[in-house]
């Protein structure tokens, strides 16, 4: 039997995922030890798990380096990789939004020039260019995006909001909702055929406990 390989977005999402997998018997004791290791195995069940940066998870799965991935819908929408999205796992819930100072609510729909700062340029482009049919300038940032409207880099941001406290503590508000976000299970297209039984068994077991 070959290994079934999982790519998990490191951090809280991976922890929640392993709790869920453990509850359906796909456990990995090696992962519970405090270590700098990146890859863990369950020799009995022939499972391999590795932790990757969230934005790289869809890449590992598309190329078949991992058969299965667990990552946020935000990353899937941004990376636009060719893979199967098979399950909404329900945790890691947040919202993709347009946010900024509340005065920008008017400017957002006034047709005036607008700069949008974001870690998600593809999502921002899809939303403004295709959904709203509005031309805006998109500025790519890599983090702490809430800074941009405060220091005058952009009028608004496109970003995820979970508790809302980052916006609130920086005097910003949600101006428009783009879409809800949560963790998803994704599968490589070839793996889905080659390992159909093992993968559908996992999907069915997870569905039952969700
Ligand atoms: C995310 C997101 C917001 C914040 C939202 O950033 O980009 O900044 O969390 O969470 P809240 O609504 O609960 O305050 P992250 O913590 O990933 O850091 P980053 O901005 O450096 O990417």
């Amino acid at each position: 039997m070959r290994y079934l390989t999982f790519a998990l977005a490191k951090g809280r999402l991976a922890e929640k995922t392993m709790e869920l997998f453990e509850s359906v018997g796909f456990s990995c004791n090696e992962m519970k030890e405090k270590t700098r290791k990146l890859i863990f195995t369950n020799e009995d069940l022939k499972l391999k798990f590795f932790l990757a940066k969230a934005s790289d998870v869809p890449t590992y799965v598309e190329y078949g380096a991992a058969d299965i991935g667990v990552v946020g819908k935000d990353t899937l929408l941004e990376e636009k990789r060719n893979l199967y999205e098979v399950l909404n796992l329900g945790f890691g819930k947040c919202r993709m939004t347009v946010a900024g100072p509340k005065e920008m609510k008017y400017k957002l729909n006034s047709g005036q020039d607008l700069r949008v700062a974001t870690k998600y340029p593809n999502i921002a482009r899809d939303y403004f260019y295709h959904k709203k049919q509005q031309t805006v300038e998109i500025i790519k940032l890599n983090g702490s995006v809430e800074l941009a409207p405060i220091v005058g880099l952009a009028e608004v941001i496109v970003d995820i909001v979970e508790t809302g406290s980052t916006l609130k503590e920086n005097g910003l508000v949600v101006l428009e909702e783009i879409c809800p976000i949560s963790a998803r299970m994704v599968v490589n297209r070839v793996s889905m055929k080659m390992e159909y039984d093992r993968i559908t068994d996992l999907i069915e077991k997870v569905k039952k406990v969700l």
Side-chain angles (χ1 to χ4, degrees):
M1 191 159 62
R2 72 184 270 281
Y3 283 101
L4 204 56
T5 303
F6 296 77
L8 309 180
K10 64 181 166 195
R12 255 177 60 83
L13 223 53
E15 285 166 26
K16 293 277 262 177
T17 304
M18 288 317 293
E19 274 172 34
L20 177 66
F21 283 175
E22 197 153 284
S23 72
V24 297
F26 279 63
S27 59
C28 186
N29 288 331
E30 229 187 46
M31 254 179 136
K32 291 178 187 158
E33 295 158 21
K34 235 189 158 23
T35 155
R36 298 281 296 168
K37 266 177 84 164
L38 293 171
I39 187 145
F40 308 90
T41 47
N42 176 332
E43 292 298 341
D44 299 334
L45 298 176
K46 285 276 179 249
L47 305 175
K48 262 189 191 161
F49 297 90
F50 66 81
L51 302 173
K53 198 173 154 73
S55 53
D56 293 335
V57 167
T59 313
Y60 284 110
V61 176
E62 182 185 276
Y63 284 89
D67 302 293
I68 295 173
V70 175
V71 70
K73 180 72 177 173
D74 53 332
T75 307
L76 294 176
L77 290 170
E78 182 60 27
E79 296 299 320
K80 299 172 184 267
R81 291 286 174 179
N82 183 14
L83 29 79
Y84 290 124
E85 183 184 321
V86 294
L87 260 186
N88 181 350
L89 299 174
F91 52 78
K93 273 196 181 131
C94 52
R95 303 174 287 157
M96 185 63 68
T97 70
V98 181
K102 63 176 184 318
E103 307 79 62
M104 285 300 151
K105 180 97 188 153
Y106 162 75
K107 194 168 179 199
L108 245 186
N109 296 304
S110 68
Q112 294 176 46
D113 286 350
L114 201 69
R115 283 172 306 177
V116 181
T118 186
K119 290 184 282 190
Y120 302 96
N122 288 327
I123 294 177
R125 208 170 292 120
D126 278 350
Y127 180 69
F128 280 102
Y129 289 25
H130 302 132
K131 198 158 175 223
K132 291 191 76 185
Q133 309 211 313
Q134 184 178 353
T135 309
V136 296
E137 185 180 346
I138 292 166
I139 302 171
K140 165 86 197 288
L141 289 178
N142 295 299
S144 302
V145 178
E146 291 82 358
L147 263 176
I150 300 172
V151 299
L153 175 67
E155 280 78 32
V156 296
I157 59 174
V158 164
D159 201 13
I160 49 170
V161 176
E162 191 184 354
T163 61
S165 52
T166 311
L167 288 183
K168 199 167 170 212
E169 287 179 28
N170 291 288
L172 308 172
V173 295
V174 170
L175 300 168
E176 290 175 1
E177 303 271 345
I178 300 181
C179 62
I181 302 292
S182 55
R184 309 294 160 106
M185 188 191 292
V186 292
V187 178
N188 171 271
R189 290 188 174 271
V190 177
S191 305
M192 196 67 196
K193 294 190 182 75
M194 305 292 286
E195 293 290 338
Y196 183 81
D197 291 343
R198 288 170 89 194
I199 293 174
T200 47
D201 173 59
L202 170 66
I203 295 171
E204 288 313 313
K205 283 179 174 154
V206 170
K207 265 188 190 163
K208 275 195 192 121
V209 297
L210 281 181

